[in-house]
Amino acid sequence: MNKNGILVVVSGFSGVGKGTLMKRLTEKYRQYALSVSATTRAPREGEEDGREYFFKSREEFERMIRENRLIEYASYCGNYYGTPREYVEEQMAKGRDVILEIEAQGAYKVKQQYPDTLLLFVMPPDAKTLVERLSGRGTESQEVIESRLTRALEESQMAEKYEYMVINEDLEEGVEKIRSLIEAQRDKIGRNLAFVQEIRTQLETLLKKGE
Ligand code: 5GP
């Protein structure tokens, strides 16, 4: 069987609760490694450098791009966001499943580089819930909320290219849904062609012996 870790991209509109879902998922199932992105956006209250994000200046971020230290990066609502390469490749080589919580442009770029990637899109139960969650966060200005809703509308089209959606209504149900999708990905035939080949070889050997 394929012992490499699975790369999972989780996207979803701002405010949909991806962060909470990922936190719970990785607390409950320790085998999943959550990648920490780099960003030029300012930290929100309570966020810590190296925990939610690596907070970078534009110059630092652009240096990371030049040095090919990001698997992908994208510009989102006026800031750069990107996935540091080293951690992801290291963890996958160790057989750990790695989760990237990134937006859609980045997701497509990851899928191009790693076609085995599982693309999940987290949806709110309805649009009103999304607005309530964004406003309830209390950390964003009205202007930022509107820019994120406009972006959500655009992303709803990008979501069509994803493989599965997860509706975030109940936290535990959402976590279990994500876990079962990751586990199913592990058993995809396309990931396990070496195993299929091995069985074929064994069968051929057995048949030859019986001749
Ligand atoms: P926020 O500012 O709300 O933390 O994140 C804004 C958006 O950027 C979210 O959709 C989040 O998933 C996305 N994002 C976070 N990190 C990355 C990254 O490394 N690459 C890309 N492409 N998007 C990211």
Side-chain angles (χ1 to χ4, degrees), residues 72-113:
E72 60 72 39
Y73 67 94
S75 181
Y76 180 96
C77 297
N79 283 300
Y80 278 136
Y81 293 81
T83 307
R85 180 184 304 281
E86 195 180 343
Y87 177 80
V88 173
E89 294 186 345
E90 225 174 63
Q91 296 297 315
M92 276 171 55
K94 281 188 195 160
R96 285 188 84 191
D97 305 320
V98 181
I99 303 180
L100 311 181
E101 189 207 313
I102 64 177
E103 53 71 64
Q105 299 168 68
Y108 298 162
K109 289 187 209 156
V110 171
K111 183 78 177 172
Q112 276 169 1
Q113 289 176 65

Side-chain angles (χ1 to χ4, degrees), residues 29-45:
Y29 300 109
R30 301 272 172 185
Q31 73 268 36
Y32 301 137
L34 188 61
S35 156
V36 177
S37 296
T39 184
T40 57
R41 110 156 143 61
R44 292 191 189 118
E45 213 181 299

Side-chain angles (χ1 to χ4, degrees), residues 6 55 68 83 101 172 187 189 199:
I6 293 170
F55 295 100
N68 196 27
T83 307
E101 189 207 313
E172 291 304 323
D187 298 332
I189 290 284
I199 298 284

Side-chain angles (χ1 to χ4, degrees), residues 22-56:
M22 291 309 103
K23 189 164 176 279
R24 181 73 188 123
L25 178 77
T26 48
E27 267 169 16
K28 198 165 173 184
Y29 300 109
R30 301 272 172 185
Q31 73 268 36
Y32 301 137
L34 188 61
S35 156
V36 177
S37 296
T39 184
T40 57
R41 110 156 143 61
R44 292 191 189 118
E45 213 181 299
E47 286 185 336
E48 256 179 48
D49 188 39
R51 191 179 64 192
E52 280 78 13
Y53 285 103
F54 295 106
F55 295 100
K56 304 281 178 196

